[in-house]
Amino acid sequence: MDTIKRISVFGVGYVGLCTAVCFANKGFKVFSITTTPEKAEKINSGNPIIYEPGLEKMLKKALKKKTFYCTIDYKYAIANSDISFIAVGTPSLPDGSIDLSQIKSVSKNIGEALKEKKDYHLIVVKSTVVPNTSEKIVKKIIEEESNKKCGKDFGLCMNPEFLREGEAIYDTLNPDRIIIGGYDKKSINTLEKIYKKFYGKKLPPIIKTNLSTAELIKYASNAFLAMKISFINTIANICEKIPGADIVEVAKGIGLDKRIGAYFLNAGLGYGGSCFPKDVKALIAFSKELGYDPLLIESVEEVNKNQPYKAIELAKKLIGNLENKRIAILGLAFKPNTDDMREAVSIKIINKLLEEKAEIIAYDPMAIENARKIFGEKIKYASSAIDCIKNADCCIIVTEWDEFKKIKPEAFIKYMRNPAIVDGRRIYDPKKYSKKIKIEFIGYGK
Ligand code: UGA
């Protein structure tokens, strides 16, 4: 097992492609597997399809070194590799529970391929899956399809991923910890050796555990982070009712306590993206299936459901009725440095504003193309932040892009019809801006 150098990675999303490309740049030979030939073709030509800082450069480097190849031929990939990572999507079903259809189909493919293989092969589930999935679904399907035995002919690990979009390469190369849940010792030791080789002297702490604990660690991590956000947003909403109280200072004040920690205490309009909303919902649904009502986590979700509408409330406070008012939306992506609009709070805010018959013009440095797919002609799109605020009656800061932070109050006054700002992400200094312009902040009591 010391010689493992050949890896297959199923899935070409953020987790799959970043994992594949990082391994390919660390001396491993990697097959990246997709079911879509057009995607494989694009990726093999150096286009990673998704936007992620640094990914394209690393992909091109790996292609040049011939250590990376994207293919739909999973049988060839498995026959010519020693370990397969499963990194396919696990979206939500309409009832909030997890959709495991991609996990099931990949497990079936792996089983079919293993049937024709003699050597030991390690399967590693990286996708976020609810506890028991690796053992009760992945293992079961692979055993049925391959007629082989887990623990003897093939190994099985659950190794959750903690990378953030926009920082995916950095996070893959510098994780805080590695969690290895394993079916047996051999599986765990095999994966540990791979990570030792991958990280060398920079090896982070490794937690070795069983499959279902590893699965739960991922959900608990995301639910905890979501809880921190809903918590700080709750305190922010209280701050607004206390003259002079400021959530940014409260967050600083509590964050210095090591037991609390300073991260993920930025109050705003709520969390979005492809992970927190779906994982919190899946954990609630899973827990209920087990007969336990996770009240705390349900509240985390409830707070987050309402938080985007704070933007509307504050806009009304500034300019009254929104009908026929021109509202400038700065920021559409679910967070800065990505074009991703999955579960972005901007969608909820814009839909509500449309309901109120406001006229909307929006700008985002990267996400306009994705916004067009959602809103089409229902809203207008600006070509720059300044273009967006021109003649507007109110501007709402929805995503905290750096370029918005640089806009001075004078620019808002110069270009807007009625200068009024809702700072939904606390990017402006209340002391400076409040003196010059009508402005409302999340978590700032007046
Ligand atoms: C999140 C986790 O941070 C990763 O560790 C995890 O691997 C990933 O989900 C996943 O499960 O795949 P990501 O969704 O890329 O990563 O984005 P985050 O940076 O965590 O932000 C999520 C949302 O929370 C954004 O809408 C952001 O605006 C919001 N947020 C974050 C706040 O409102 N306040 C904060 O203090 C931090």
Side-chain angles (χ1 to χ4, degrees):
M1 276 307 139
D2 273 345
T3 54
I4 286 188
K5 282 213 183 83
R6 303 173 309 165
I7 286 173
S8 302
V9 182
F10 287 77
V12 292
Y14 286 90
V15 174
L17 200 54
C18 288
T19 304
V21 164
C22 286
F23 269 109
N25 278 287
K26 287 266 192 181
F28 294 82
K29 169 107 182 130
V30 180
F31 295 101
S32 156
I33 300 149
T34 169
T35 48
T36 324
E38 299 77 43
K39 278 192 188 172
E41 206 174 299
K42 275 193 186 156
I43 292 170
N44 285 330
S45 73
N47 172 358
I49 309 174
I50 47 168
Y51 172 76
E52 188 59 46
L55 179 59
E56 187 172 338
K57 202 169 146 205
M58 281 184 86
L59 170 64
K60 286 186 170 151
K61 216 163 118 190
L63 285 165
K64 208 169 156 199
K65 282 199 289 186
K66 296 196 164 43
T67 53
F68 175 97
Y69 182 64
C70 189
T71 178
I72 55 165
D73 190 349
Y74 59 86
K75 284 195 176 165
Y76 180 84
I78 288 200
N80 290 285
S81 60
D82 314 289
I83 164 167
S84 291
F85 286 95
I86 301 179
V88 292
T90 50
S92 290
L93 288 167
D95 68 352
S97 65
I98 187 171
D99 176 356
L100 291 171
S101 54
Q102 292 182 58
I103 291 282
K104 287 178 185 165
S105 96
V106 165
S107 302
K108 193 164 172 284
N109 291 348
I110 292 175
E112 277 170 18
L114 284 186
K115 196 173 187 174
E116 295 162 18
K117 190 174 176 182
K118 282 203 187 76
D119 300 333
Y120 180 85
H121 196 94
L122 177 66
I123 317 296
V124 182
V125 179
K126 245 190 187 307
S127 304
T128 300
V129 291
V130 291
N132 299 328
T133 304
S134 299
E135 178 141 12
K136 298 276 157 52
I137 294 178
V138 177
K139 171 177 162 283
K140 186 167 169 268
I141 295 177
I142 296 177
E143 284 186 333
E144 275 167 12
E145 290 293 327
S146 65
N147 277 326
K148 297 199 165 175
K149 198 98 194 78
C150 186
K152 180 174 152 278
D153 309 307
F154 68 93
L156 180 63
C157 283
M158 201 286 150
N159 168 223
E161 180 54 62
F162 301 102
L163 61 81
R164 294 161 295 172
E165 273 184 49
E167 317 274 347
I169 299 285
Y170 177 86
D171 287 350
T172 305
L173 299 176
N174 303 280
D176 290 340
R177 78 299 205 186
I178 293 173
I179 308 295
I180 304 182
Y183 179 71
D184 59 352
K185 275 215 174 84
K186 184 176 172 184
S187 302
I188 293 177
N189 292 341
T190 307
L191 188 56
E192 188 186 20
K193 273 185 195 154
I194 289 166
Y195 280 127
K196 279 188 172 158
K197 186 181 283 180
F198 184 94
Y199 288 106
K201 284 194 183 109
K202 278 173 77 183
L203 186 74
I206 295 182
I207 304 284
K208 298 179 210 173
T209 181
N210 58 35
L211 294 168
S212 51
T213 304
E215 289 163 329
L216 191 55
I217 287 172
K218 170 68 191 188
Y219 278 98
S221 296
N222 275 2
F224 191 88
L225 293 170
M227 179 183 75
K228 276 187 106 172
I229 298 169
S230 280
F231 175 83
I232 204 70
N233 285 339
T234 299
I235 304 292
N237 297 344
I238 297 173
C239 274
E240 280 168 36
K241 308 221 175 279
I242 311 167
D246 184 352
I247 193 61
V248 173
E249 286 169 25
V250 173
K252 232 184 256 167
I254 64 172
L256 283 171
D257 185 327
K258 289 191 187 68
R259 294 167 303 173
I260 296 173
Y263 296 104
F264 274 68
L265 289 179
N266 296 322
L269 297 171
Y271 59 79
S274 63
C275 304
F276 287 171
K278 121 182 132 66
D279 291 349
V280 167
K281 281 192 188 87
L283 184 56
I284 294 169
F286 176 72
S287 179
K288 283 188 166 169
E289 259 172 46
L290 299 177
Y292 176 69
D293 270 345
L295 297 180
L296 178 62
I297 307 167
E298 285 178 297
S299 301
V300 167
E301 208 208 357
E302 194 63 27
V303 168
N304 198 60
K305 228 192 251 168
N306 297 328
Q307 195 64 13
Y309 303 120
K310 286 293 300 182
I312 315 276
E313 185 191 313
L314 295 178
K316 283 185 177 165
K317 203 168 156 192
L318 285 167
I319 63 166
N321 191 345
L322 302 178
E323 194 172 340
N324 296 326
K325 298 276 171 62
R326 187 177 170 94
I327 311 291
I329 300 290
L330 285 185
L332 294 161
F334 85 95
K335 67 174 186 179
N337 304 319
T338 175
D339 63 353
D340 197 340
M341 278 192 65
R342 284 178 287 176
E343 300 280 333
V345 298
S346 62
I347 301 173
K348 280 188 179 175
I349 295 170
I350 290 174
N351 280 334
K352 185 76 185 151
L353 287 169
L354 287 172
E355 238 175 66
E356 307 243 346
K357 300 202 170 54
E359 182 200 327
I360 294 161
I361 176 147
Y363 173 70
D364 188 284
M366 289 188 69
I368 299 262
E369 215 177 291
N370 285 331
R372 272 188 213 280
K373 289 181 203 149
I374 301 169
F375 299 110
E377 300 302 309
K378 283 197 259 177
I379 66 170
K380 292 198 177 77
Y381 305 92
S383 55
S384 69
I386 294 298
D387 183 33
C388 186
I389 61 173
K390 272 182 192 159
N391 298 321
D393 295 301
C394 180
C395 169
I396 305 177
I397 308 293
V398 179
T399 316
E400 66 277 32
W401 285 93
D402 278 345
E403 68 169 271
F404 304 157
K405 294 179 187 166
K406 293 179 196 138
I407 311 176
K408 299 265 180 308
E410 290 74 17
F412 286 106
I413 293 165
K414 180 172 172 196
Y415 293 108
M416 291 179 78
R417 178 159 57 204
N418 169 33
I421 309 170
V422 174
D423 182 355
R425 294 288 177 185
R426 296 304 307 266
I427 63 173
Y428 299 129
D429 180 352
K431 291 190 184 81
K432 278 192 197 146
Y433 278 65
S434 300
K435 272 191 216 141
K436 299 187 174 170
I437 190 167
K438 264 178 26 184
I439 184 163
E440 286 291 337
F441 299 87
I442 285 287
Y444 188 75
K446 283 192 175 164

